[in-house]
Amino acid sequence: MKVFITGASSGIGEALAVYYAGHGARLGLAARRGERLAALDQRLGGGHACYPLDVADAPALHAAAADFVARFGAPDIVIASAGVSAGTLTEHAEDLAVFRRIMDINVYGMAATFAPFIPAMQAAGGERRLVGIASVAGIRGLPGAAAYSASKAAAIAYLESLRLEMRPAGIKVVTIAPGYIETPMTAVNPYPMPFLMPAGRAAARFAAAIERGVGYTVIPWPMGIVAKLLRLLPNGVYDRLFTHAPRKPRGLLK
C-alpha cells in the first residue's frame, strides 16, 4: 500500500503515519517541519519519502507528488490532514491575516494536496481514496472561531463536490469530521472537551472508515450525535446557548 499524508509531523497526521507504517505501507510524509519528518521516518524504520513543504505552496506539492509517483507509483490513499486553528475576532484588524492563513491551509491546501495526484490515480485505476480531515467545528459556526469553523465548513462542502466529481473515475472521496482528538491543536483549548480521544485510537478509527470508503463520518461517533442535534437547533436556541461559549485563545496558530 502507498499512502501520502500531509500534516504528518504531529497530531492526526503523525498518528495516521504510525498506523499505516505499522501495516506495511510505503509513505509520503509532508509537513513544514522537516526535522520532525526525518525523525518520524527514522522512528518508522526509514525508507519513506519526506517532503518539507507548506500545503499552501501548490508548486511544492506538485513537485512532491511527481517525486512520490516516480518512486512508488500512484498512491492508494492521499490524506489531506494538514490544518491549523486559532481564535479569531473579525473586529480586530490584525486577525484578518490569521483568518487568511487558516483558510489557505485548511481549504486551499486540501485542494492543492489532491490536485497533482488525481491524474496518476485515474490512470492507475483500482480502489483508491482521497481523504480530507474536516471537523465537527464545520457543522455550526462557533464564537471566537469564525475562521476555523468557516474553513472546515468549506472543506466539508468541497469534499462533497469532489466526491461527485471522482465517482465516474472510481476514486472514493472520504470526509472525516473529527470531534476532540488529543493533539497539539486541542492542547491549548481552555475548556472541557467531551469525548476526547487519543490520537492513536482515532487513527485506527479513521483508517477503518477510509478502508470502507465511507463518504462522510464523524469520529468519535457520540460527537456525530451531538453534531446532528446542534444542526437541528433553531437559530434562536443555538444563539442563546452558544453566544458566551468558551473560546480558543486568539493568535495561536496550532
Side-chain angles (χ1 to χ4, degrees):
M1 182 183 295
K2 297 155 288 185
V3 184
F4 188 92
I5 305 170
T6 65
S9 63
S10 67
I12 290 172
E14 180 182 10
L16 285 166
V18 171
Y19 176 89
Y20 280 110
H23 287 73
R26 299 290 266 182
L27 303 177
L29 305 172
R32 286 173 290 171
R33 292 171 290 186
E35 71 286 351
R36 294 200 60 164
L37 288 180
L40 176 61
D41 178 45
Q42 290 304 306
R43 181 154 57 96
L44 298 180
H48 303 291
C50 295
Y51 303 101
L53 56 79
D54 189 317
V55 294
D57 184 347
L61 275 164
H62 190 277
D67 180 78
F68 183 87
V69 172
R71 292 172 64 174
F72 304 122
D76 299 289
I77 302 170
V78 177
I79 304 175
S81 181
V84 292
S85 175
T88 53
L89 292 173
T90 304
E91 66 264 31
H92 293 277
E94 61 270 25
D95 284 11
L96 288 176
V98 179
F99 198 111
R100 172 174 283 180
R101 181 64 175 158
I102 290 172
M103 297 297 286
D104 281 350
I105 294 175
N106 295 0
V107 185
Y108 177 78
M110 184 176 288
T113 296
F114 295 149
F117 284 108
I118 289 174
M121 295 172 78
Q122 289 174 323
E127 285 284 325
R128 300 183 191 277
R129 309 279 192 269
L130 298 172
V131 183
I133 306 301
S135 171
V136 294
I139 304 299
R140 296 211 70 158
L142 299 173
Y148 186 69
S149 291
S151 74
K152 293 304 183 178
I156 290 169
Y158 163 69
L159 289 163
E160 185 165 52
S161 296
L162 187 64
R163 186 174 73 242
L164 300 175
E165 294 167 5
M166 293 293 101
R167 185 179 176 87
I171 298 174
K172 293 190 176 181
V173 176
V174 177
T175 302
I176 297 177
Y180 292 112
I181 310 298
E182 289 182 358
T183 67
M185 186 182 293
T186 58
V188 301
N189 291 344
Y191 46 79
M193 291 175 282
F195 314 116
L196 182 67
M197 178 179 284
R201 189 189 308 167
R205 303 276 180 88
F206 290 7
I210 293 166
E211 174 64 25
R212 295 195 307 273
V214 298
Y216 175 88
T217 187
V218 175
I219 296 172
W221 67 262
M223 282 301 295
I225 296 174
V226 172
K228 288 181 180 178
L229 292 175
L230 290 178
R231 185 68 270 173
L232 292 172
L233 283 179
N235 286 346
V237 175
Y238 181 76
D239 292 355
R240 285 195 297 273
L241 289 175
F242 284 87
T243 295
H244 300 293
R247 305 177 181 193
K248 184 183 285 287
R250 290 175 53 236
L252 294 174
L253 277 173
K254 292 289 185 179

